[in-house]
Amino acid sequence: EPAVPVDKEVTLKADDLSVDVPTQVYRAQGEVQITQDGLSLLADSVVYRRLTGEAQAQGGVLLERSGDTMKGDSLSLNLLSQEGVLLNGQLFVKRSNMRLRAERLEKTGPADYKMTKGSFTTCDGDKPSWRFEARQVKVTLEDFATAKDAVFYAGDVPVFYTPYLIFPANTERQSGLLLPRLGYSSKKGFYYDQPYYWAINPSQEATFDLDLESSRGVGAGVDYRYLRPHGSSGRLQAFGIYDTQKSEFRGEVDQRHLEFLTPRLTLASNIHLITDRRYFLDYGELSGEYNRQYLESTVSFDQRWERSALFGELRYTDDLEAPNNDATLQRLPTVGFIEAGEKVGPAYFSMDSRFTNFQREAGATGQRLQLHPRLAWYAKPAGFLDLSLYGGYQQRMYNAQGEESETGWRQLGQADAGGTLSLPLERVYDGRLRHLLIPAVEYSFVQQRHDEDLPFFDYDDRVLGQNAARWSLTNVVTRKYAEPDGVPEYRDLLYLKLSQGYWFSGQRRDLLTLVDDGHRLTDLMLEGVITPVQRLSVALDTRYNTTDSSFSTANTVIELKGEGRDKAKLGYRHSRGEVDYLEAGFTLPAARDITTDMLWRYSADSGKLLESRYAVEYRRQCWSVTFTYSERVSSRNVPGEQQFSVNFTLAGIGSLGPLRAF
Amino acid sequence: CGYRPVVQRGPLADANGVDIVLFTNKSFRSGVEGVLARDLIDEFALRTGRRVLPGDKAQLDLSGTVLSYTTTPVSYNRFDAIQEYAAALTVQATLRDKRTQKVLWKGELTEQQVYPVNANIALQQNAEEAAIAKVARRLAERIWQKIGERF
Amino acid sequence: APISGKEPLKVKSDNLTADNEKKTATFEGKVVAHQGELTLYTDRLVVSSDGEGNELSKVEAFGNVRILQGNRQATGGHAVYDPKRGVILLDGNPKVMAGEDVITGKVITYFINEQRSVVTGGPKERVEAVIHPGGKNVGAKP
C-alpha cells in the first residue's frame, strides 16, 4: 500500500486527547485544532476516526480553507474526502465577500458546498441591505454558485422571486440574473432592460437581454462569446425589435469569428448588417454609433509564410450617409500577395501586389491588378550613417466595364525611386536618462505618367508624379527605472518628431490631412507624446504653414489618470476651416462613496454642445446605483435625444470577467 | 556636445543577424501583417546595416502577433457628423535567440494615426490604408528603439 | 494477547542492587526489561513488589525511557508501570510513535489491556498529534 502523501497528513492539537489503539479513534477536547493540507478545523471537541478519516466536531466549529470559512454548531467532516455536513452554519467566501447562512450546509467536495434553506448576500454585518433567500444553493468555489427558488430581499422587503439564479462564487465572471436598467428617453419612452447572463461552460458565455420600451415596443438582444481550440474565438451580437412607431421589424447583427486553421492560415469574418439605413440614427446609444458614417462587413483569409503573405478579402461597405448604397464601390474580392523582404545578394527584394474586383449597382465596375516590386539597398557609410536606397516599378492593369470609353484591358507602368539618410545620435545623462536624436533626410521620386483616361475607382488609379525631399528630426527621451528584482525598466518620457518636405516638382496628395495649401514647401509637422509621469500624457499633432505662417491643423489630447476609475481627458481637434471640435471627459470622486462621470462634446465651429453625458454612482459596501443623464442636440444629420436611466449593481454579482481559454 | 552615434546595444549588437518573420494576424484586417513585416525589415536592415538574414543564417528571430486593429471616430462637425477617425494597431513582438529560444525582448505596443473622412468611401479607404502604413512604419521604428534602449 | 501482570519480567543491566527490606531491586546502566512483548530500555529501573506473594507492585524507570510494543514506541524522561492495573504512565516530554504517527503531550497514560492511551496537555505543552489518515495501517496490533 503506497504511503499516504504527506499533504494528507493531519495535525491535531488539543488540551486532552485519548487514543483507542485497536479502533484508532482519537477523542480530543479543549480548543481542538485539526489542520490538513490547507484546511484547518477548530472546535471545542473532536472525535476523529483515523481509518475512515471521519471527524465529528462539536461546539464553536470553525472550518477554514484558503480564506473561505464555515462556522456552525456541529460539523461532521471526512478529512480524506473533505466532505461534511454543518448544522445551522454559515459559509463566508473571502474573494467575493459572499456570506451564505443555512440550517444545513454540506461540504460536498474540496471546494463544493450545498446549502438547503438558506440565505446569501455580499453585505457585511447581520442586517444586510440585500439578500437572497433560496430553497437550495450549490456553490463551487472555483467557479459558480446556483440557487433554486430564490427570493430577493431589499432589507426585509421581498422584491422579486426567481426560479433559478447563478452567480460567481469566487470568480469575477458575471452572474446569471443581472440587475435591470430602468429609465426614460425621448426616443424609447419609459424602458426596462433586463439582462440575463448564462455561463454555458468555461469557454462559452451568453448575455440575453429583454428591452421593453414604452414608445417602441419589445426588443431582445443576445451577446454570445466563445473560445475554441488553437486560439480561435468568436462573438455574435444581435438585437431585434418590432418598432411599433415604424410598425416594422428592425435590428442589427454584428458577428466576428477568428479561426486558426493552421498556425499560418487564419480565417476571419466580421459581418455587420442592419435592417434599415436609419437604424443607428434611432437605436445608436453613443457617439460613433448614432452618427455612424458607414458599415463594413468582411470575410478574409491570411496565409503566411516566413516573409510573405497571401490574403484574400470580400468586403461589403454600406455608406449610411449616402441616399442609397448603389454607388458605393464594393471590393468583391481583393486578393493580395506581399513579399516583405527577401535578401538578394546585398539588396532586399520586396513586392506589394493586389488584384481587386470592383462591383457596384450604379457606376463603373471592373478589375484592377497592381504589381509593385521594389529593390532596396542599405549601407552604413562612415560606419555611423544609415543609408537606404530603393528603386521600384508599379504596373497597373485594368479591365473595366460600364462607361464606354474605358472598357477593355488597359495598363500603365511607373517607376519610383528614393532613399533615406539618417544619423541616429544619443546621449545618456548620468546613467538614468537617454536622449535619442535622429536627424534624417528622405528623397522620393515617382515617374509622371498620364493616367487621366484610365478607369477611376480610387486614388490608386491616379498616381501623382513627384520629385520631393523631406527632412525630419525625431527625439525619444527614455528614463531608466531600477526595479527591485534587478531588471531595470525603461519608459519613454517623450517622443517628438518634427518634419517638413519640399516638392521640387509634381503634385502632392496628403491623404492624412484635411488642410494642405499645396505650397512646394509643405507645412512644418510636429507629432509628439509627452508622458512626464505614467499618469499624465499629452499628445500633440500639428501642422504649421510656414509659407503663410498660420496653423493648418492643431490637435492635442491631454489625459490624466487618478486613483481607481478617476481620470480626466481633454481632446481638441482643429483643422482650419474643416474641424473645430472639443471633447472633455472627467471621472471624479464627488464624495466618499459618490463618483461622477461627465462627458461634453462641443462643436467650436458652431459654438454649441453636440452632446453631454452625466453619471452619478453611489457606491455602498455591497451594492451601488448609477443615475445617468445624457442629452444630444438634433442636427441635419442626427435626431436629438434626452435619456435618463437608473442602474443597480450588487457587489460580486455584477461585472463580466475574462473567459477561461481552453 | 556629448551626442555620439548610436552604439548598437542589447541583443542586436553581438548577434550576427535577425530573421524577421511575419506576425500572426488576429486583427480582422487582412494583409496588415505583411505591411508591418515590410516596414520591420526595412527599418532593421537600415539600422543594422543589412543584418536582416533568413532563418538558417540569423542568430535571432523577431516574431509576434497583430493583436487588434480599430478605427474610432475622433472628431465631428457642427452637425455631429464624423470628420476624422483614428486607426490604431496593437502588436506584441518577441525577439528570441534562435538556438536557445530564450526570449531576449518582448513588448506590446500600440500606435495610432488620424485620417479624415471622405464623402467617397473608396477614397476614405485609401486614407485609412495610408494611416495604417504610417502606424506600421512607426511601430517598426519603436520596436527597433525598444530593443536597443537598454543603456 | 494483552500482557498481564502474570508474565515474567526479565531485566538485564550493568548492575543490580537489591534492598530486601523495602523489597525493591534497582537496576542501573543500560537497563533492558522484557515482559511479554513489551520491552523497556532505561538508565535506571526500580522494581518493587508488595508483601504477600512477592508479586510485582510497581516498576519505575528513570532517564531515557524507551518502551517498545510491536511497531509502537514510546519515549519519555520517566515512566511508572503498574502491572496490577496494567497502566504505564509516561512523562518528561513523553512521545508515542506508531509508524509515521507521532503524539506528544505533558503526560501520556497507556492502559495496556484496553489498548487505550490518554494524553493530557499542560498550559505550555498542549497535546499534539500528527496522524496519517486511512492508508498506512498503524499499530492496531491484534
Side-chain angles (χ1 to χ4, degrees):
Chain A
E1 219 174 289
V4 172
V6 167
D7 57 16
K8 278 287 182 229
E9 184 186 278
V10 172
T11 310
L12 183 148
K13 291 187 179 126
D15 291 348
D16 303 292
L17 170 69
S18 101
V19 181
D20 184 277
V21 175
T23 59
Q24 284 298 301
V25 171
Y26 293 67
R27 285 189 176 73
Q29 275 88 28
E31 283 181 63
V32 181
Q33 189 198 0
I34 296 186
T35 50
Q36 178 205 38
D37 168 28
L39 185 96
S40 111
L41 171 64
L42 299 176
D44 299 343
S45 74
V46 175
V47 174
Y48 170 60
R49 287 176 178 69
R50 193 177 66 71
L51 297 182
T52 61
E54 282 298 323
Q56 186 67 33
Q58 296 292 346
V61 177
L62 173 65
L63 180 68
E64 195 264 334
R65 181 178 180 279
S66 55
D68 306 329
T69 58
M70 266 170 98
K71 284 201 214 91
D73 303 343
S74 90
L75 165 72
S76 74
L77 175 72
N78 181 311
L79 285 171
L80 277 181
S81 65
Q82 302 213 337
E83 283 167 15
V85 177
L86 180 72
L87 295 183
N88 102 58
Q90 197 191 78
L91 168 66
F92 169 68
V93 178
K94 179 152 158 273
R95 192 142 83 142
S96 58
N97 201 40
M98 180 78 61
R99 285 161 210 291
L100 300 99
R101 226 186 287 269
E103 282 169 24
R104 184 180 160 82
L105 195 53
E106 282 170 69
K107 190 169 190 315
T108 52
D112 306 280
Y113 300 87
K114 192 169 140 211
M115 177 177 85
T116 36
K117 284 225 289 301
S119 78
F120 61 90
T121 174
T122 54
C123 300
D124 296 339
D126 290 338
K127 287 210 43 54
S129 341
W130 61 266
R131 69 181 192 283
F132 279 93
E133 297 274 349
R135 178 175 54 79
Q136 184 205 65
V137 178
K138 284 203 189 107
V139 181
T140 28
L141 275 189
E142 264 63 39
D143 212 352
F144 271 91
T146 54
K148 290 202 170 82
D149 297 332
V151 177
F152 175 74
Y153 283 79
D156 285 329
V157 175
V159 173
F160 63 82
Y161 159 82
T162 169
Y164 177 75
L165 171 74
I166 64 170
F167 54 93
N170 203 355
T171 73
E172 289 81 23
R173 265 177 94 173
Q174 206 169 358
S175 84
L177 187 79
L178 302 185
L179 271 293
R181 219 157 57 103
L182 328 142
Y184 170 82
S185 107
S186 52
K187 289 168 102 61
K188 301 180 183 173
F190 287 98
Y191 63 88
Y192 174 92
D193 182 2
Q194 174 60 62
Y196 182 85
Y197 173 83
W198 177 28
I200 304 157
N201 58 40
S203 57
Q204 286 184 74
E205 60 185 22
T207 306
F208 304 95
D209 75 280
L210 195 62
D211 184 17
L212 314 175
E213 299 182 8
S214 67
S215 48
R216 293 197 300 199
V218 177
V222 64
D223 181 357
Y224 166 58
R225 297 159 32 130
Y226 54 91
L227 296 170
R228 284 167 40 81
H230 317 305
S232 304
S233 63
R235 179 175 197 168
L236 173 69
Q237 288 168 289
F239 175 73
I241 183 168
Y242 183 78
D243 187 325
T244 49
Q245 281 169 353
K246 298 269 190 329
S247 53
E248 61 176 354
F249 176 78
R250 303 178 77 187
E252 172 189 14
V253 170
D254 185 356
Q255 171 274 347
R256 272 174 182 250
H257 182 79
L258 195 65
E259 188 71 28
F260 291 97
L261 290 176
T262 74
R264 289 180 175 281
L265 176 58
T266 314
L267 288 183
S269 87
N270 177 7
I271 308 291
H272 197 176
L273 301 170
I274 48 178
T275 49
D276 57 290
R277 299 174 68 71
R278 285 190 58 81
Y279 171 78
F280 283 117
L281 290 170
D282 294 336
Y283 286 90
E285 296 269 339
L286 304 170
S287 63
E289 271 173 28
Y290 63 79
N291 46 15
R292 197 173 180 111
Q293 183 210 0
Y294 69 94
L295 210 53
E296 214 172 60
S297 292
T298 57
V299 176
S300 63
F301 77 88
D302 273 62
Q303 166 67 47
R304 25 185 208 92
W305 295 277
E306 283 280 310
R307 269 175 302 290
S308 54
L310 176 71
F311 63 90
E313 181 184 75
L314 290 164
R315 180 187 303 179
Y316 177 76
T317 307
D318 191 350
D319 180 348
L320 301 176
E321 284 180 351
N324 58 54
N325 205 36
D326 297 351
T328 311
L329 202 56
Q330 308 299 349
R331 297 164 194 262
L332 300 168
T334 302
V335 178
F337 175 79
I338 294 183
E339 169 51 63
E342 209 54 53
K343 198 159 195 310
V344 174
Y348 288 80
F349 171 77
S350 65
M351 186 168 77
D352 188 352
S353 56
R354 207 163 285 214
F355 168 80
T356 311
N357 173 35
F358 295 101
Q359 290 299 325
R360 56 181 154 190
E361 303 291 319
T365 61
Q367 295 74 39
R368 173 177 73 194
L369 178 65
Q370 296 161 285
L371 297 170
H372 194 170
R374 169 179 289 194
L375 213 55
W377 179 77
Y378 306 90
K380 274 211 178 277
F384 52 83
L385 282 163
D386 291 345
L387 172 69
S388 81
L389 297 169
Y390 69 85
Y393 192 83
Q394 184 180 110
Q395 181 68 23
R396 283 182 277 145
M397 277 166 274
Y398 294 90
N399 173 23
Q401 297 86 26
E403 279 75 7
E404 282 327 314
S405 65
E406 297 157 357
T407 53
W409 271 99
R410 329 272 295 281
Q411 64 178 333
L412 177 75
Q414 263 156 306
D416 58 84
T420 62
L421 180 67
S422 81
L423 169 59
L425 299 169
E426 68 176 349
R427 176 172 175 182
V428 179
Y429 293 84
D430 62 58
R432 264 178 350 93
L433 218 59
R434 177 183 83 149
H435 177 206
L436 176 66
L437 182 64
I438 309 181
V441 175
E442 275 174 68
Y443 171 72
S444 75
F445 161 78
V446 176
Q447 180 188 9
Q448 173 64 42
R449 291 301 302 269
H450 172 63
D451 57 7
E452 274 67 26
D453 59 359
L454 284 178
F456 177 70
F457 298 114
D458 62 20
Y459 282 138
D460 286 357
D461 306 322
R462 294 294 180 269
V463 177
L464 301 178
Q466 75 182 9
N467 186 344
R470 172 177 289 275
W471 65 266
S472 69
L473 189 62
T474 306
N475 296 275
V476 181
V477 173
T478 313
R479 177 132 183 250
K480 176 176 179 180
Y481 295 85
E483 284 295 298
D485 58 10
V487 175
E489 197 206 336
Y490 296 84
R491 240 185 271 130
D492 290 354
L493 303 185
L494 168 93
Y495 165 77
L496 202 63
K497 179 171 183 179
L498 274 164
S499 62
Q500 191 167 23
Y502 187 81
W503 251 249
F504 299 102
S505 71
Q507 299 154 300
R508 175 167 69 241
R509 176 194 301 132
D510 189 334
L511 290 170
L512 297 179
T513 177
L514 283 161
V515 175
D516 182 357
D517 298 332
H519 299 301
R520 284 190 179 286
L521 183 63
T522 73
D523 292 351
L524 172 66
M525 237 166 79
L526 182 140
E527 295 157 289
V529 180
I530 306 140
T531 38
V533 282
Q534 225 173 353
R535 289 218 280 244
L536 169 67
S537 94
V538 179
L540 291 169
D541 171 2
T542 143
R543 291 168 185 250
Y544 181 74
N545 182 334
T546 44
T547 318
D548 313 332
S549 33
S550 69
F551 275 98
S552 301
T553 68
N555 307 293
T556 180
V557 178
I558 303 165
E559 262 182 287
L560 183 63
K561 284 197 185 60
E563 294 305 322
R565 251 182 1 103
D566 300 347
K567 67 177 182 340
K569 183 170 181 183
L570 192 65
Y572 176 59
R573 292 201 65 82
H574 168 78
S575 293
R576 184 162 31 84
E578 298 284 339
V579 171
D580 209 358
Y581 172 72
L582 186 73
E583 184 168 319
F586 300 93
T587 304
L588 303 172
R592 199 165 57 79
D593 29 12
I594 296 181
T595 311
T596 57
D597 288 79
M598 287 155 278
L599 174 72
W600 294 286
R601 294 175 48 244
Y602 178 73
S603 155
D605 47 12
S606 68
K608 59 179 173 46
L609 215 52
L610 296 173
E611 181 188 16
S612 49
R613 305 180 74 87
Y614 306 89
V616 176
E617 186 195 27
Y618 175 61
R619 178 179 288 277
R620 299 293 298 165
Q621 180 265 329
C622 57
W623 59 275
S624 66
V625 62
T626 311
F627 303 93
T628 65
Y629 172 73
S630 66
E631 180 176 11
R632 64 174 192 256
V633 175
S634 74
S635 75
R636 187 180 63 191
N637 300 51
V638 174
E641 180 181 18
Q642 288 81 31
Q643 173 155 319
F644 168 79
S645 80
V646 180
N647 186 359
F648 296 93
T649 45
L650 302 183
I653 293 195
S655 57
L656 189 61
L659 264 174
R660 246 192 313 197
F662 256 70
Chain B
C1 61
Y3 283 84
R4 285 172 294 94
V6 166
V7 142
Q8 270 304 10
R9 265 193 210 80
L12 280 179
D14 29 49
N16 72 340
V18 56
D19 171 25
I20 294 179
V21 175
L22 248 71
F23 284 22
T24 309
N25 185 359
K26 290 187 174 179
S27 71
F28 290 93
R29 177 77 187 195
S30 69
V32 78
E33 78 278 14
V35 174
L36 180 63
R38 234 168 86 136
D39 287 331
L40 278 169
I41 290 174
D42 183 63
E43 180 72 14
F44 275 69
L46 177 68
R47 303 298 179 198
T48 63
R50 293 205 298 272
R51 279 194 289 139
V52 175
L53 307 171
D56 45 20
K57 299 197 184 72
Q59 199 181 332
L60 310 176
D61 88 41
L62 180 65
S63 62
T65 309
V66 179
L67 295 173
S68 72
Y69 169 70
T70 57
T71 58
T72 336
V74 288
S75 68
Y76 304 80
N77 65 13
R78 67 179 67 223
F79 307 111
D80 206 352
I82 297 171
Q83 286 296 96
E84 291 170 311
Y85 290 93
L89 260 179
T90 301
V91 296
Q92 187 184 60
T94 313
L95 184 73
R96 279 193 190 81
D97 180 309
K98 264 186 109 62
R99 208 172 29 77
T100 63
Q101 285 301 311
K102 178 166 169 293
V103 172
L104 304 171
W105 172 80
K106 181 167 190 171
E108 184 170 318
L109 302 126
T110 299
E111 275 298 332
Q112 71 164 33
Q113 172 59 46
V114 168
Y115 64 93
V117 155
N118 191 311
N120 176 342
I121 290 201
L123 305 184
Q124 181 175 314
Q125 285 165 347
N126 289 132
E128 186 176 4
E129 295 264 342
I132 292 175
K134 189 166 179 190
V135 163
R137 175 90 247 164
R138 181 74 202 102
L139 283 170
E141 288 165 3
R142 265 184 73 198
I143 289 174
W144 172 70
Q145 282 156 21
K146 283 284 161 204
I147 288 179
E149 75 183 356
R150 291 184 212 175
F151 54 88
Chain C
I3 54 168
S4 71
K6 312 284 179 313
E7 300 239 5
L9 176 65
K10 301 185 211 79
V11 183
K12 279 188 266 137
S13 72
D14 290 353
N15 47 55
L16 164 63
T17 54
D19 175 341
N20 291 334
E21 203 185 286
K22 287 198 204 114
K23 292 195 184 324
T24 62
T26 305
F27 301 82
E28 281 173 305
K30 293 200 290 303
V31 178
V32 181
H34 287 282
Q35 188 182 44
E37 28 94 37
L38 205 67
T39 315
L40 184 140
Y41 300 86
T42 179
D43 298 346
R44 182 161 62 86
L45 191 72
V46 176
V47 177
S48 33
S49 44
D50 57 14
E52 312 93 49
N54 258 349
E55 272 195 36
L56 278 177
S57 66
K58 188 165 91 165
V59 177
E60 196 162 1
F62 300 88
N64 295 317
V65 178
R66 201 152 60 87
I67 305 168
L68 294 174
Q69 182 193 31
N71 62 358
R72 286 163 61 82
Q73 174 183 255
T75 60
H78 161 254
V80 177
Y81 168 42
D82 175 343
K84 286 202 183 63
R85 288 176 42 235
V87 170
I88 305 174
L89 196 134
L90 200 60
D91 54 27
N93 276 327
K95 186 187 255 189
V96 171
M97 283 156 287
E100 287 158 41
D101 289 4
V102 176
I103 304 178
T104 57
K106 188 157 176 293
V107 173
I108 298 183
T109 317
Y110 184 57
F111 302 89
I112 301 165
N113 301 338
E114 298 153 37
Q115 292 208 3
R116 188 167 62 87
S117 54
V118 172
V119 188
T120 47
K124 282 193 300 313
E125 323 111 285
R126 276 177 34 97
V127 172
E128 187 166 330
V130 174
I131 310 160
H132 294 81
K136 218 140 173 342
N137 189 329
V138 168
K141 283 218 23 70

